[in-house]
Amino acid sequence: MKIEVLEKVPEKISGVFFVVSEDSYEKDVKAFSAAEKKQILGVMESEIFTGRKGESLALTGLNKDGKAFFVVGSGKKEEGGLLRNAAGVAASVAKKSKFADFAIVLPTGEDPALAISGAVLGNYNFKIGDTSEDFLVKKCVIVSGKKFSKDAVEKEVSLAESTNFVRDLVNTPPSLMNPDILAEEAKKLEKISKKVKVKILGEKDMGKLKMGSLLGVGQGSDIESKLIVLEYMGGKKGDDVEALVGKGVCFDSGGYNVKPTGHIEDMKSDMGGAATVLGAFRFLAETSPEKNVVGVIGAVENMVSGNAYKPGDVITAMNGKTIEVTNTDAEGRLVLADALYYTATKFKPAVIFDFATLTGACIAALGTEISGVMGNDKKAMDRVKKAADVSGEGVWELPITDLFREKTKGTISDLQNWTAGVSAGSSMGGAFLEHFVEETPWVHFDIAGTAYQGKYGNEFTPKGATGVMMRTIRELLK
Ligand code: BES
Ligand code: ZN
Ligand code: ZN
């Protein structure tokens, strides 16, 4: 969608959405005409519309020149970030009404950034087939008195569109999104910028590197497992390198510990971490910051077949550690084990952030709005918490303690990937991964609950893939 930031509502436009906040609606927004002001004050005073978050109302008295007028609520000022919600509501009303274009009129002095973000994120659909409706709005005008550079608009649009790209990858059915296709999607990013280089390692290459852990998970699939390695070198040679690592399980059947009905349906989303890494690289490629970032994705399918790994198998990871597969459904940590160790030893990054739909336990602990974070370094963790504070995406630190570390030890092997009777599943996942990062400062993001919303969305996120953590990554890499 094309975005423009203007000072006035254009003459020709299908829908105009006035953003009104709940607590202190303005009586004198410059962009409003006298008739508009009268109408808006009228509904506000009658309390038909109060400016609450998520609220929208068509103003029938104003419709003229083919324009439809609406008010959308942005909630209370101190709740912050709500302009994104209001713009998201405006975009989804415009989308449902099949408007060719729409304008969002911001309260005076409000920064257009949040509105741009909400508008692009709200104007999202994922539909397959000729019979499915797939209408998107082509253009959005943000009406704001506040100066905003063209460059800043472009960056904001790129971030939101990269988030929609993540959503597309995750929403795609598993027959159309496998390790091969994920690798192709990564390769395509090279076309955006010369600063992006993508290398794909196949099973033979990974065999040479002795990645028995990742390969063990993928061996039951007819599709070859891949290690996708991305480099964005926008900084100087010799500058610090920062790493993003993603879990790319393109379908998680659970393996022989097969997932039951009720748990298996959304498992195309188990490559949400990998998609996030690709989204971040799309954003880097488009916005060209002076940074050096590498990305590593372990892309596999966790399937059941005559060749699949079995509960009781012992596999050997790239770092030489032996792992008993006590549960084939705890496959994400096995994939990440080799991806993390490869990242730590090949690139010697200053920090690693990994993104993974790792544990159902994280959903039980933190629900669908807050991602679990854990790690081995206070400075890196503080950086994550600060970034998430700015982005407005919820994170909550979960502990990795010596007790959890102890419980990752195996009986016939160095480690086991699952330990019966320990219910702190997310922390156990974190404690397992810690064995593979060497001394690298590292934060693990468990996005199992937040990457995919099977039941409901929010003002700017339709049901399905969310693209969560893209905004936090932007802050992290600033
Ligand atoms: N992919 C799942 C985690 C998951 C669950 C993601 C629900 C999104 C929604 C992961 O591979 C898994 O199956 N984890 C198991 C681990 C257990 C066997 C230790 C879990 O959480 O139940
Ligand atoms: Zn699993
Ligand atoms: Zn999984």
Side-chain angles (χ1 to χ4, degrees):
M1 180 168 61
K2 200 171 161 239
I3 299 275
E4 269 180 68
V5 182
L6 301 176
E7 280 182 34
K8 281 216 163 67
V9 177
E11 277 298 305
K12 263 194 67 163
I13 194 127
S14 314
V16 183
F17 295 80
F18 301 121
V19 175
V20 180
S21 83
E22 190 176 350
D23 40 11
S24 62
Y25 62 90
E26 283 172 83
K27 298 194 165 64
D28 195 27
V29 175
K30 284 199 197 69
F32 296 163
S33 71
E36 289 159 2
K37 266 182 223 163
K38 198 168 154 226
Q39 179 84 6
I40 295 167
L41 291 176
V43 287
M44 294 299 284
E45 268 145 30
S46 69
E47 292 183 10
I48 302 166
F49 176 89
T50 57
R52 270 195 313 275
K53 172 183 164 183
E55 229 180 340
S56 73
L57 184 75
L59 298 178
T60 48
L62 281 178
N63 288 11
K64 59 177 172 27
D65 314 327
K67 285 193 188 86
F69 288 82
F70 299 82
V71 274
V72 286
S74 70
K76 287 205 171 78
K77 265 224 167 75
E78 73 264 18
E79 288 173 300
L82 290 170
L83 221 47
R84 184 180 283 117
N85 291 320
V89 171
S92 53
V93 172
K95 183 178 72 182
K96 278 187 205 121
S97 315
K98 296 206 159 78
F99 288 159
D101 48 14
F102 69 113
I104 302 175
V105 184
L106 304 185
T108 314
E110 288 286 354
D111 197 315
L114 288 172
I116 294 173
S117 170
V120 177
L121 293 172
N123 185 38
Y124 177 80
N125 259 338
F126 186 83
K127 293 277 159 62
I128 285 188
D130 295 341
T131 54
S132 315
E133 239 169 53
D134 190 17
F135 181 88
L136 290 178
V137 186
K138 296 271 180 322
K139 184 175 150 189
C140 170
V141 176
I142 310 284
V143 182
S144 160
K146 195 149 175 180
K147 285 264 174 304
F148 202 64
S149 75
K150 196 161 169 273
D151 182 58
V153 172
E154 274 169 12
K155 285 204 168 106
E156 207 56 52
V157 173
S158 170
L159 181 71
E161 282 179 348
S162 298
T163 307
N164 286 343
F165 166 70
V166 174
R167 293 170 171 180
D168 276 346
L169 295 176
V170 176
N171 282 328
T172 301
S175 59
L176 301 173
M177 181 50 63
N178 57 38
D180 264 342
I181 300 170
L182 201 62
E184 276 169 30
E185 288 292 338
K187 263 283 177 201
K188 281 190 207 160
L189 299 176
E190 284 183 334
K191 294 214 180 79
I192 305 177
S193 162
K194 284 208 178 75
K195 292 177 190 161
V196 178
K197 294 266 172 298
V198 180
K199 218 168 71 187
I200 311 294
L201 277 62
E203 290 181 356
K204 238 184 162 171
D205 309 306
M206 288 190 276
K208 280 187 200 143
L209 291 167
K210 302 199 181 323
M211 294 189 164
S213 188
L214 186 156
L215 288 169
V217 176
Q219 79 189 31
S221 167
D222 287 346
I223 296 173
E224 190 187 8
S225 302
K226 298 270 158 52
L227 193 80
I228 303 170
V229 184
L230 305 105
E231 292 184 36
Y232 171 84
M233 294 298 161
K236 291 189 204 67
K237 254 206 166 135
D239 279 1
D240 273 357
V241 171
E242 304 195 320
L244 308 175
V245 173
K247 168 178 173 181
V249 176
C250 296
F251 186 73
D252 181 10
S253 72
Y256 274 97
N257 292 97
V258 66
K259 285 187 182 294
T261 298
H263 290 88
I264 201 167
E265 295 78 7
D266 292 339
M267 280 304 127
K268 65 175 183 183
S269 67
D270 213 18
M271 35 62 78
T276 309
V277 173
L278 292 187
F281 272 78
R282 185 186 183 278
F283 177 66
L284 289 169
E286 283 192 350
T287 55
S288 266
E290 288 176 14
K291 294 223 80 173
N292 295 330
V293 187
V294 297
V296 176
I297 290 168
V300 303
E301 283 186 326
N302 186 21
M303 303 298 276
V304 177
S305 87
N307 194 40
Y309 74 154
K310 306 167 190 74
D313 276 351
V314 174
I315 55 184
T316 306
M318 186 182 173
N319 69 352
K321 289 200 170 124
T322 54
I323 307 162
E324 183 177 355
V325 181
T326 42
N327 192 319
T328 58
D329 197 14
E331 84 299 337
R333 64 201 69 184
L334 298 173
V335 172
L336 285 177
D338 283 337
L340 286 169
Y341 185 75
Y342 175 87
T343 306
T345 52
K346 176 155 174 86
F347 296 108
K348 304 209 169 10
V351 64
I352 300 178
F353 302 112
D354 86 63
F355 302 86
T357 48
L358 206 74
T359 64
C362 198
I363 313 177
L366 302 175
T368 55
E369 302 286 331
I370 300 172
S371 302
V373 287
M374 51 215 99
N376 62 358
D377 184 83
K378 186 169 181 313
K379 243 172 90 183
M381 183 58 76
D382 285 345
R383 198 172 144 197
V384 165
K385 288 176 184 167
K386 271 204 195 109
D389 256 358
V390 177
S391 76
E393 296 179 305
V395 299
W396 198 260
E397 185 177 359
L398 299 171
I400 299 176
T401 65
D402 283 343
L403 182 69
F404 297 133
R405 291 186 181 104
E406 191 56 35
K407 300 278 188 199
T408 62
K409 294 199 174 137
T411 38
I412 59 167
S413 51
D414 296 323
L415 301 171
Q416 54 191 17
N417 73 333
W418 171 75
T419 307
V422 184
S423 38
S426 307
S427 290
M428 284 300 289
F432 185 89
L433 297 179
E434 194 189 46
H435 291 289
F436 300 91
V437 297
E438 300 287 275
E439 301 301 310
T440 320
W442 152 79
V443 178
H444 157 61
F445 290 70
D446 193 331
I447 54 171
T450 49
Y452 193 86
Q453 309 279 345
K455 298 206 170 54
Y456 59 90
N458 66 25
E459 285 75 16
F460 53 88
T461 314
K463 238 165 64 167
T466 61
V468 74
M469 288 303 139
M470 283 292 290
R471 304 201 305 271
T472 301
I473 291 175
R474 187 235 325 236
E475 294 305 324
L476 277 174
L477 297 182
K478 250 183 191 165

